[in-house]
Amino acid sequence: MSQLSTKHLLGIKDITETDIRLILETAANFKEVINRPIKKVPSLRDITIANIFFENSTRTRLSFELAEKRLSADVVNFSSANSSVKKGETLVDTVNNILAMKVDMVVMRHASPGAPHFLSRNISANIVNAGDGTHEHPTQALLDAFSMTEKLGDLTGKKIAIIGDILHSRVALSNIFCLQKLGAEVMVCGPITLLPKYISSLGVKVELDVRKALEWCDVANVLRIQLERQQIKYFPSLREYSLYYGINKKMLQALNKEIVIMHPGPINRGVELSSDAADSEHSIILNQVENGVAVRMAVLYLLAGVKG
């Protein structure tokens, strides 16, 4: 079996196209496993994994925990809300105390961009970044790419539009890196206040009109408005945002082609996506959730085979 070129998954920027394709191929095998009557394999039977979440999470945390249990790993869950972090303990001390209990791998979500990178320089265990602030969310990009590949085949030359709050989204950055490495064309679309100033330097097209973006793309990956990260108002109201950038089924039916609708969740129904669009035949949102388990199984399995 081929190996990954790195012992950590810190971001898509840090891995190669070969790594990405290996993860997607391995995920396809694990997807077949999780659809069997007996969904468990003993691949990580002797591995202990700590899920360390300093931010709220539903889908990502459940998906990682399920992936770990499907691989027969021992799982330790840590939540900062009920921990010694509240008493002033540092990140490195917290993780070193967990590692002293003989943990082999750490899955971490943190509000500070670069926290997993910092940790990787200070501890010996494998680290998987489950989202670091507004920086990257590598496993989300991988499961998005896997879902697109299932639907469209090879992504070379395919047109992917990422629509919504690009400025505050870790999903957007990871998706851009991943899709470009797989040969896709990428466009970002949103209000100019929600587009980072540097965005065109990443080699993506920029569009301010959502209808033009939908006409251009094969896949629309729609992002939610991240109000919890916004310290100032970037647009007048959610109603106005929905009026100009919300996507509904009528808009999709007006296109002269079929496109795929994706969303990393949670969906703000009636804001970035109407219910009739989110639940339509165009949508593969629930496929993304299912594929998340298979992709995370692949990441954990492959990283367990890399010793630093």
Side-chain angles (χ1 to χ4, degrees):
M1 187 70 184
S2 301
Q3 268 202 349
L4 294 177
S5 64
T6 173
K7 69 171 285 191
H8 308 294
L9 181 61
L10 303 176
I12 300 295
K13 190 176 183 180
D14 306 311
I15 62 175
T16 65
E17 181 195 341
T18 307
D19 289 332
I20 294 170
R21 293 195 184 280
L22 175 59
I23 291 167
L24 299 187
E25 285 166 21
T26 310
N29 295 329
F30 280 127
K31 184 165 184 184
E32 188 262 317
V33 168
I34 62 175
N35 281 293
R36 293 177 191 166
I38 297 171
K39 301 173 175 63
K40 212 163 182 176
V41 289
S43 308
L44 298 187
R45 195 171 48 201
D46 301 322
I47 301 289
T48 304
I49 303 174
N51 297 317
I52 305 179
F53 280 66
F54 292 87
E55 276 191 318
N56 293 337
S57 171
T58 305
R59 265 158 308 282
T60 303
R61 185 168 185 159
L62 283 176
S63 185
F64 266 113
E65 190 171 343
L66 201 52
E68 290 152 7
K69 288 178 175 176
R70 294 275 188 258
L71 291 165
S72 304
D74 294 318
V75 181
V76 180
N77 286 313
F78 168 94
S79 170
S80 63
N82 308 312
S83 74
S84 294
V85 171
K86 293 289 182 190
K87 303 173 186 175
E89 187 172 58
T90 68
L91 174 61
V92 173
D93 282 342
T94 298
V95 176
N96 274 328
N97 274 283
I98 293 167
L99 293 181
M101 302 174 203
K102 306 306 176 195
V103 168
D104 304 293
M105 199 178 294
V106 172
V107 175
M108 186 173 83
R109 169 168 287 187
H110 202 283
S112 300
H117 302 71
F118 167 73
L119 204 59
S120 71
R121 294 191 291 271
N122 287 277
I123 68 169
S124 58
N126 304 84
I127 297 171
V128 182
N129 179 5
D132 59 329
T134 56
H135 181 225
E136 278 218 52
H137 192 354
T139 57
Q140 182 67 47
L142 291 164
L143 74 89
D144 287 348
F146 183 80
S147 302
M148 290 180 213
T149 304
E150 266 194 334
K151 189 77 177 174
L152 302 175
D154 185 19
L155 297 184
T156 305
K158 295 291 189 290
K159 296 177 177 179
I160 318 298
I162 303 172
I163 300 169
D165 185 356
I166 311 297
L167 183 63
H168 300 96
S169 175
R170 52 189 167 217
V171 174
L173 193 58
S174 286
N175 259 278
I176 289 167
F177 291 143
C178 187
L179 292 167
Q180 287 177 336
K181 287 181 180 183
L182 293 173
E185 292 181 55
V186 183
M187 172 186 283
V188 295
C189 174
I192 198 155
T193 52
L194 290 177
L195 297 176
K197 290 177 184 174
Y198 65 82
I199 195 72
S200 56
S201 69
L202 293 178
V204 300
K205 297 177 188 293
V206 178
E207 179 56 69
L208 302 180
D209 185 332
V210 72
R211 283 174 174 79
K212 288 182 181 175
L214 292 175
E215 285 164 7
W216 175 85
C217 72
D218 299 307
V219 178
N221 198 350
V222 187
L223 308 178
R224 74 183 174 89
I225 299 299
Q226 302 208 14
L227 294 173
E228 73 276 13
R229 299 189 192 280
Q230 298 181 12
Q231 308 303 319
I232 59 173
K233 282 185 85 72
Y234 289 87
F235 48 86
S237 67
L238 286 177
R239 184 176 177 274
E240 183 157 326
Y241 179 87
S242 177
L243 205 60
Y244 284 94
Y245 287 95
I247 296 170
N248 56 50
K249 193 169 182 182
K250 189 176 177 184
M251 291 166 69
L252 299 176
Q253 289 172 335
L255 300 172
N256 57 6
K257 60 179 181 177
E258 288 277 320
I259 69 166
V260 177
I261 295 292
M262 301 176 67
H263 195 300
I267 305 171
N268 291 322
R269 287 175 181 262
V271 181
E272 69 268 11
L273 269 181
S274 66
S275 284
D276 60 4
D279 301 331
S280 71
E281 66 280 3
H282 299 272
S283 167
I284 59 167
I285 294 169
L286 290 178
N287 300 64
Q288 289 174 264
V289 178
E290 180 187 354
N291 290 338
V293 177
V295 166
R296 289 174 175 123
M297 285 173 77
V299 167
L300 296 166
Y301 171 75
L302 290 167
L303 285 178
V306 181
K307 301 302 170 195

